[in-house]
């Protein structure tokens, strides 16, 4: 793979996404690097392989961890979890940019006992984390929306940020999917910090808020919603939009049709109401984590994710890494690959290693097995680069 004229020391950038359900991006990178280091101890091998680790994210779960791994500081804060229980969340902050994510505030993985709550789950904790980030006076806040447990249109988040949703008796409603249809009026308290801060939604979801391609219909089932709940949530979100328009937000109806409004159970919609700018999640995080500078000093790039498939080709993080890696060799590592070898060239991949090629067991929910297999793959990659 590396020509005879290549330098004796091969410089490698290990830049993976997480293996969802198994390992974080940092754990994937560390396991591969451990394999590289152990390969260096094999006698009789020529040359050396140096590796730099750059765990990545695309705006979904793991975004805070990836930012911290690249040099941001982790700041912790207690927020309301998806069903109200307190959870210790964290944001990443580098003095000017804060990264706040849904997954570690009110995400699916935080539901007690893994019990899905399609109507009762709320995004309030995400709003509380945004409020905490605002207290640090950042120039911008990156809103990482992947992994949400709720379909509340951001009602919970907005409740934490000065919005009051009232029923017909003037009582304040909890912000969740169940109460969307009970909204009678909305009051707002202005937070000057919201106007003084740039908000960025890093996401590659393009669904609108309502209808057959909206948040309830497309993403509701993975959050436990059946047909009855989906219909109720869609009607409730329509009520939210109507009442926001009545409350004096003239763009409320138009923003519901905007691409990305349906991301994270409609949190994308609430973020648009706050004036957030939408950007490609993969490319934004590659810029934020300084991928281009890192890869320019390396000879080989290793990337990967849990599954390499048609969705990967459609623009997920490994595809963005490959596209921005130039002519240098690119190796992918995955739990499994559904792309035959003749299609590797569509991502300019020189080689694909999968955990499934190293075991007959299901490693997708077994972090220990996944790490051990990645260690072996790291050894094999290092041997092949010499």
């Amino acid at each position: 793979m590396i020509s005879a004229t290549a330098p004796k020391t091969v410089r490698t950038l290990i830049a993976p996404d997480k293996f969802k359900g198994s390992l974080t991006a940092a754990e994937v990178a560390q396991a591969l690097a451990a394999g590289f280091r152990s390969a260096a101890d094999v006698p009789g091998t020529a040359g050396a392989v140096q590796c730099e680790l750059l765990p990545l994210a695309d705006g979904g779960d793991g975004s805070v961890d990836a930012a911290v791994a690249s040099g941001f500081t982790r700041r912790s804060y207690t927020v309301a979890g998806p069903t109200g229980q307190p959870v210790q969340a964290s944001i990443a902050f580098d003095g000017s940019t804060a990264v706040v994510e849904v997954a570690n505030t009110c995400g699916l993985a935080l539901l007690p006992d893994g019990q899905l709550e399609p109507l009762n789950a709320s995004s309030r904790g995400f709003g509380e984390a945004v409020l905490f980030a605002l207290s640090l006076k950042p120039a911008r806040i990156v809103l990482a929306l992947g992994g949400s447990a709720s379909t509340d249109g951001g009602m919970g988040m907005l409740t934490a940020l000065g919005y009051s949703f009232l029923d017909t008796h003037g009582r304040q409603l909890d912000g969740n999917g169940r109460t969307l249809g009970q909204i009678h009026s909305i009051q707002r308290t202005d937070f000057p910090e919201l106007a003084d801060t740039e908000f960025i939604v890093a996401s590659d979801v393009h669904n609108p808020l309502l209808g057959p391609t909206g948040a309830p219909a497309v993403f509701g089932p993975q959050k436990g919603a059946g047909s009855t709940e989906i219909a109720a949530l869609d009607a409730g979100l329509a009520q939210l939009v109507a009442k926001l328009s009545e409350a004096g937000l003239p763009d409320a109806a138009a923003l519901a049709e905007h691409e990305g409004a349906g991301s994270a159970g409609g949190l994308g919609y609430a973020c648009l109401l706050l004036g957030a700018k939408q950007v490609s999640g993969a490319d934004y995080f590659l810029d934020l984590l300084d991928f281009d500078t890192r890869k320019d000093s390396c000879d080989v790039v290793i990337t990967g994710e849990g599954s390499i498939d048609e969705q990967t080709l459609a623009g997920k993080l490994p595809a963005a890494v490959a596209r921005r890696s130039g002519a240098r060799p690119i190796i992918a590592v995955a739990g499994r690959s559904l792309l035959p070898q003749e299609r590797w060239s569509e991502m300019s991949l020189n080689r694909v290693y999968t955990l499934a090629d190293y075991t007959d067991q299901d490693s997708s929910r077994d972090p220990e097995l996944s790490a051990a297999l990645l260690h072996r793959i790291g050894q094999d990659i290092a041997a092949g680069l010499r």
Side-chain angles (χ1 to χ4, degrees):
M1 182 178 297
I2 304 300
S3 70
T5 60
K8 192 171 184 181
T9 297
V10 180
R11 298 163 301 177
T12 303
L13 178 65
I14 302 178
D17 198 353
K18 63 188 173 297
F19 280 27
K20 194 166 186 177
S22 177
L23 298 174
T24 67
E27 290 168 339
V28 172
Q30 290 160 6
L32 287 168
F36 272 64
R37 288 191 293 269
S38 64
D41 298 330
V42 177
T45 55
V49 178
Q50 293 181 348
C51 54
E52 180 179 356
L53 278 58
L54 183 63
L56 295 175
D58 60 2
D61 46 326
S63 295
V64 166
D65 287 341
V68 169
S70 74
F72 282 57
T73 299
R74 187 185 301 276
R75 303 290 294 267
S76 297
Y77 187 69
T78 300
V79 303
T83 53
Q85 78 285 12
V87 300
Q88 188 76 357
S90 60
I91 70 169
F93 186 52
D94 71 349
S96 61
T97 299
V99 179
V100 183
E101 73 173 50
V102 170
N104 76 20
T105 55
C106 52
L108 279 165
L110 299 176
L111 287 166
D113 301 319
Q115 181 67 44
L116 298 176
E117 294 285 357
L119 297 179
N120 295 325
S122 172
S123 61
R124 182 182 179 92
F126 183 64
E128 293 174 347
V130 170
L131 202 58
F132 170 62
L134 285 170
S135 73
L136 303 177
K137 302 189 184 308
R140 71 194 57 82
I141 298 178
V142 181
L143 305 164
L145 302 187
S148 71
S150 61
T151 308
D152 68 355
M155 180 183 175
M157 179 188 81
L158 293 173
T159 299
L161 296 175
Y163 283 67
S164 295
F165 298 88
L166 309 176
D167 65 11
T168 55
H169 301 288
R171 296 174 300 201
Q172 183 155 331
L173 297 165
D174 292 331
N176 57 44
R178 188 179 298 278
T179 60
L180 285 167
Q182 301 172 32
I183 301 172
H184 177 70
S185 62
I186 301 173
Q187 298 175 355
R188 288 185 292 159
T189 300
D190 289 333
F191 280 30
E193 299 92 336
L194 292 174
D196 295 338
T197 307
E198 179 186 15
F199 287 93
I200 295 171
V201 172
S203 173
D204 293 301
V205 173
H206 303 293
N207 302 71
L209 181 65
L210 303 170
T213 59
V218 175
F219 304 112
Q222 68 193 42
K223 302 175 186 183
S227 57
T228 300
E229 289 88 356
I230 289 171
L233 289 167
D234 202 62
L237 290 173
Q239 176 85 344
L240 171 68
V241 173
K243 293 303 178 180
L244 284 166
S245 297
E246 290 178 11
L249 281 77
D251 296 332
L255 290 176
E257 299 177 6
H258 197 284
E259 283 192 1
S263 61
L267 261 171
Y269 174 65
C271 294
L272 290 171
L273 288 171
L274 296 177
K277 174 186 176 183
Q278 286 185 312
V279 299
S280 163
D283 281 308
Y284 185 84
F285 269 84
L286 288 177
D287 291 339
L288 184 70
L289 304 180
D290 202 20
F291 171 79
D292 287 342
T293 300
R294 306 282 187 94
K295 59 90 173 169
D296 283 346
S297 64
C298 293
D299 305 301
V300 179
V301 173
I302 299 173
T303 188
E305 62 179 347
S307 176
I308 291 180
D309 48 35
E310 292 288 344
Q311 291 187 30
T312 308
L313 292 176
K316 292 180 70 178
L317 189 60
V321 168
R323 172 169 45 81
R324 293 172 60 155
S325 292
R328 55 185 51 78
I330 306 164
I331 298 170
V333 178
R336 63 171 188 170
S337 174
L338 301 181
L339 293 180
Q341 185 170 350
E342 57 267 23
R343 300 193 64 189
W344 292 356
S345 61
E346 296 180 40
M347 278 178 57
S348 301
L349 299 177
N350 295 78
R351 179 72 187 269
V352 176
Y353 291 83
T354 71
L355 306 190
D357 290 333
Y358 284 71
T359 183
D360 293 329
Q361 301 179 55
D362 179 8
S363 62
S364 63
R365 300 289 174 181
D366 190 334
E368 186 174 346
L369 176 60
S370 295
L373 296 174
L374 286 168
H375 185 281
R376 288 174 54 190
I377 289 173
Q379 290 178 317
D380 290 348
I381 294 175
L385 292 177
R386 294 177 171 178

